[in-house]
């Protein structure tokens, strides 16, 4: 028998979250902790069932998960997987349901999903998030939301649960475009750290001296120390996978080319990330691009 979402805060929306992987599991736990009735689904059900302890119901199918809820949240790998799962959810969807799409899918992907939302009779909110595994677990993601203004109040309790800040940036699709800009910065910084550490080593220096030289100054940033120290320690526990970063770098380059923009640096960064994935490091953290500069050794 299909279960309805659990008890909710008065007037709060009921929610289905599809995709309880690295990001989705933390997001789901925070939605449930906020008192919103929640169903979750994941292709590997074993990744969804632990959320029962947080008050969520692990559904057996996407259609079961979305039946009679107010808001559907998707956090999946790419546009293709989102299309597949939402198409499977179709029989359980009711017209007018708000679809809060938080996956990183690129410009073309966001347009494709907007078309699918129209076909399914859903209200589409394009809302990718900034942050990795720990911010997802802590409920401190930054949400780059875009979509129709009348549904902002409906999704606000969900966005408040998963993030520390929501930035509304215009019509649906603008959020995905801004996410590419932000991720372009992330992959450029991380690749730059890897190259600087490699250069220091090649010049006969202790690579840690680079981190010490910039620490606390105008050239420093929290991410520099965080990722740089992890690279030198060989700690590549994934918070944002290298494969995911390479995928997103591809979205950035493709979007820039479509817009007639020359992003020479990003094109090279994309090649370096792809090389690191091909070397077998895709399941590791983005910082594992450093390993490709070390000849692929661990």
């Amino acid at each position: 028998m299909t279960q309805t979402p659990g008890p909710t805060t008065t007037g709060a929306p009921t929610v289905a979250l599809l995709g309880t992987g690295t990001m989705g599991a933390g997001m789901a736990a925070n939605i449930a902790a906020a008192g919103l009735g929640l169903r979750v689904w994941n292709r590997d059900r074993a990744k969804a069932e632990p959320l029962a302890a947080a008050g969520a119901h692990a559904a057996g199918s996407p259609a079961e998960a979305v039946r009679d809820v107010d808001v559907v949240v998707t956090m999946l790998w790419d546009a293709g997987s989102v299309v597949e799962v939402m198409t499977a959810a179709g029989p359980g969807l009711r017209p007018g349901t708000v679809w809060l799409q938080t996956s990183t899918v690129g410009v073309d992907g966001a347009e494709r999903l907007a078309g699918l939302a129209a076909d399914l009779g859903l209200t589409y909110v394009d809302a990718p998030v900034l942050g990795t595994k720990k911010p997802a677990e802590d409920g401190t993601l930054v949400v780059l939301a875009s979509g129709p203004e009348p549904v902002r109040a409906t999704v606000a309790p969900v966005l408040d649960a998963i993030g520390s800040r929501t930035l509304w940036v215009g019509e649906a699709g603008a959020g995905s475009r801004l996410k590419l800009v932000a991720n372009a910065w992330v992959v450029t910084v991380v690749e730059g750290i890897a190259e600087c550490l490699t250069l220091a080593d090649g010049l006969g220096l202790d690579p840690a001296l680079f981190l010490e030289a910039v620490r606390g100054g105008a050239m420093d940033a929290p991410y520099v120390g965080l990722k740089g120290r992890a690279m030198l320690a060989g700690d590549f526990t994934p918070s944002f996978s290298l494969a995911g970063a390479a995928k997103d770098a591809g979205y950035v380059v493709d979007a820039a080319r479509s817009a007639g923009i020359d992003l020479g640096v990003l094109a090279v960064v994309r090649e370096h990330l792809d090389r690191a994935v091909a070397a077998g490091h895709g399941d590791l953290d983005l910082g594992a691009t450093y390993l490709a500069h070390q000849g692929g050794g661990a």
Side-chain angles (χ1 to χ4, degrees):
M1 177 182 295
T2 299
Q3 298 184 29
T4 57
T8 68
T9 304
T10 303
T14 54
V15 183
L17 189 144
L18 308 179
T20 58
T22 300
M23 298 289 290
M27 292 166 61
N30 284 306
I31 292 170
L36 308 183
L38 177 66
R39 294 198 199 109
V40 293
W41 174 88
N42 196 74
R43 197 179 307 275
D44 179 358
R45 187 164 181 167
K47 293 184 178 181
E49 288 177 342
L51 288 161
H57 166 65
S61 69
E64 177 189 341
V66 304
R67 188 165 290 116
D68 296 325
V69 301
D70 301 307
V71 178
V72 177
V73 181
T74 47
M75 175 48 83
L76 299 157
W77 175 251
D78 59 9
S81 58
V82 177
V83 169
E84 178 185 351
V85 170
M86 287 300 288
T87 300
L93 292 166
R94 62 185 180 192
T97 298
V98 179
W99 177 11
L100 188 62
Q101 206 306 105
T102 65
S103 317
T104 303
V105 296
V107 173
D108 291 343
E111 292 177 356
R112 181 182 178 191
L113 298 182
L116 178 62
D119 292 342
L120 294 172
L122 307 177
T123 301
Y124 180 59
V125 178
D126 170 53
V129 296
L130 297 181
T132 53
K133 181 179 179 181
K134 191 171 190 307
E137 293 172 343
D138 294 344
T140 56
L141 297 167
V142 175
V143 185
L144 307 179
S146 55
E149 189 168 351
V151 300
R152 293 186 185 183
T154 300
V155 299
V158 182
L159 299 179
D160 289 345
I162 67 174
S164 60
R165 185 162 59 102
T166 296
L167 181 63
W168 285 94
V169 297
E171 296 183 355
S176 280
R177 296 194 295 275
L178 184 55
K179 178 62 187 292
L180 294 189
V181 175
N183 275 19
W185 172 242
V186 170
V187 298
T188 300
V189 169
V190 173
E191 183 63 26
I193 296 166
E195 294 199 3
C196 287
L197 295 177
T198 301
L199 177 62
D201 183 56
L203 295 179
L205 299 169
D206 177 353
L209 289 173
F210 162 67
L211 301 180
E212 182 62 25
V214 301
R215 183 172 61 88
M219 295 184 293
D220 197 10
Y223 218 53
V224 173
L226 177 69
K227 290 300 183 185
R229 288 190 298 271
M231 289 176 190
L232 295 180
D235 181 2
F236 302 109
T237 305
S239 58
F240 177 26
S241 76
L242 180 60
K247 167 184 71 77
D248 292 356
Y251 287 149
V252 171
V253 173
D254 291 347
R257 287 175 177 165
S258 294
I261 300 168
D262 178 16
L263 295 181
V265 172
L266 264 298
V268 175
V269 169
R270 177 189 186 179
E271 292 175 1
H272 284 210
L273 297 179
D274 286 343
R275 182 179 68 187
V277 171
H281 307 310
D283 291 338
L284 301 178
D285 188 74
L286 164 60
T289 185
Y290 181 59
L291 296 178
H293 291 282
Q294 309 305 301

